[in-house]
Protein backbone atom coordinates (compact mmCIF):
# COMPACT_ATOMS: atom_id res chain seq x y z
CA UNK A 1 0.00 0.00 0.00
CA UNK A 2 1.22 3.50 -0.75
CA UNK A 3 1.23 6.11 2.01
CA UNK A 4 1.67 9.88 1.84
CA UNK A 5 5.22 11.05 2.60
CA UNK A 6 5.47 14.83 2.26
CA UNK A 7 4.49 15.69 -1.31
CA UNK A 8 5.22 12.15 -2.49
CA UNK A 9 3.95 8.62 -1.99
CA UNK A 10 5.99 5.89 -0.27
CA UNK A 11 5.79 2.14 -0.64
CA UNK A 12 5.76 0.33 2.72
CA UNK A 13 7.53 -3.05 2.66
CA UNK A 14 6.77 -5.37 5.56
CA UNK A 15 9.66 -6.44 7.77
CA UNK A 16 9.48 -10.19 6.87
CA UNK A 17 9.95 -9.34 3.19
CA UNK A 18 12.86 -7.03 3.99
CA UNK A 19 14.47 -9.76 6.09
CA UNK A 20 13.95 -12.35 3.34
CA UNK A 21 15.65 -10.09 0.81
CA UNK A 22 18.27 -8.90 3.31
CA UNK A 23 17.36 -5.27 2.68
CA UNK A 24 17.85 -2.52 5.22
CA UNK A 25 17.80 1.28 5.10
CA UNK A 26 21.32 1.37 3.63
CA UNK A 27 20.73 -1.13 0.81
CA UNK A 28 20.83 0.47 -2.64
CA UNK A 29 17.72 -0.52 -4.60
CA UNK A 30 17.10 -0.90 -8.31
CA UNK A 31 13.69 -0.07 -9.78
CA UNK A 32 12.65 -1.71 -13.06
CA UNK A 33 9.35 -1.46 -14.91
CA UNK A 34 7.84 -2.66 -18.15
CA UNK A 35 5.04 -0.09 -17.91
CA UNK A 36 2.67 -2.46 -16.09
CA UNK A 37 4.80 -3.97 -13.35
CA UNK A 38 7.24 -2.34 -10.94
CA UNK A 39 10.11 -4.48 -9.65
CA UNK A 40 12.07 -3.22 -6.65
CA UNK A 41 15.23 -5.18 -6.03
CA UNK A 42 18.44 -4.72 -4.10
CA UNK A 43 21.59 -4.12 -6.08
CA UNK A 44 23.65 -7.24 -5.37
CA UNK A 45 26.61 -9.16 -6.63
CA UNK A 46 25.85 -12.13 -8.89
CA UNK A 47 26.08 -14.83 -6.17
CA UNK A 48 23.47 -13.23 -3.97
CA UNK A 49 21.47 -12.15 -7.01
CA UNK A 50 21.07 -15.78 -8.13
CA UNK A 51 19.79 -16.77 -4.70
CA UNK A 52 17.30 -13.91 -4.69
CA UNK A 53 16.21 -14.80 -8.22
CA UNK A 54 15.45 -18.35 -7.09
CA UNK A 55 13.30 -17.03 -4.23
CA UNK A 56 11.57 -14.65 -6.64
CA UNK A 57 10.77 -17.49 -9.02
CA UNK A 58 9.29 -19.59 -6.19
CA UNK A 59 7.18 -16.63 -5.05
CA UNK A 60 6.05 -15.89 -8.61
CA UNK A 61 5.05 -19.52 -9.09
CA UNK A 62 3.11 -19.62 -5.85
CA UNK A 63 1.65 -16.08 -5.80
CA UNK A 64 1.89 -14.98 -9.44
CA UNK A 65 -1.86 -14.60 -9.90
CA UNK A 66 -2.13 -12.56 -6.71
CA UNK A 67 0.74 -10.31 -7.84
CA UNK A 68 -0.98 -9.82 -11.20
CA UNK A 69 -4.25 -8.82 -9.53
CA UNK A 70 -2.42 -6.41 -7.20
CA UNK A 71 -0.66 -4.82 -10.16
CA UNK A 72 -3.99 -3.92 -11.82
Amino acid sequence: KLVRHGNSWALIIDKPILELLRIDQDTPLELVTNGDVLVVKPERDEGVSGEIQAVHERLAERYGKVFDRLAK
Side-chain angles (χ1 to χ4, degrees):
K1 177 175 171 175
L2 295 176
V3 297
R4 176 68 78 181
H5 182 74
N7 290 330
S8 300
W9 291 95
L11 177 66
I12 303 300
I13 303 173
D14 292 329
K15 187 175 180 178
I17 293 172
L18 295 173
E19 289 172 349
L20 173 69
L21 297 174
R22 291 179 272 165
I23 294 174
D24 63 24
Q25 64 191 22
D26 298 320
T27 304
L29 299 174
E30 180 181 350
L31 301 173
V32 180
T33 184
N34 67 2
D36 292 321
V37 176
L38 175 66
V39 176
V40 180
K41 62 183 186 173
E43 293 179 353
R44 303 261 193 229
D45 63 43
E46 286 302 313
V48 173
S49 181
E51 181 181 337
I52 299 299
Q53 180 65 30
V55 170
H56 170 75
E57 289 172 5
R58 287 195 306 270
L59 287 171
E61 183 178 317
R62 184 170 183 184
Y63 299 110
K65 290 180 183 177
V66 173
F67 293 154
D68 288 341
R69 285 197 312 260
L70 289 171
K72 292 180 181 181

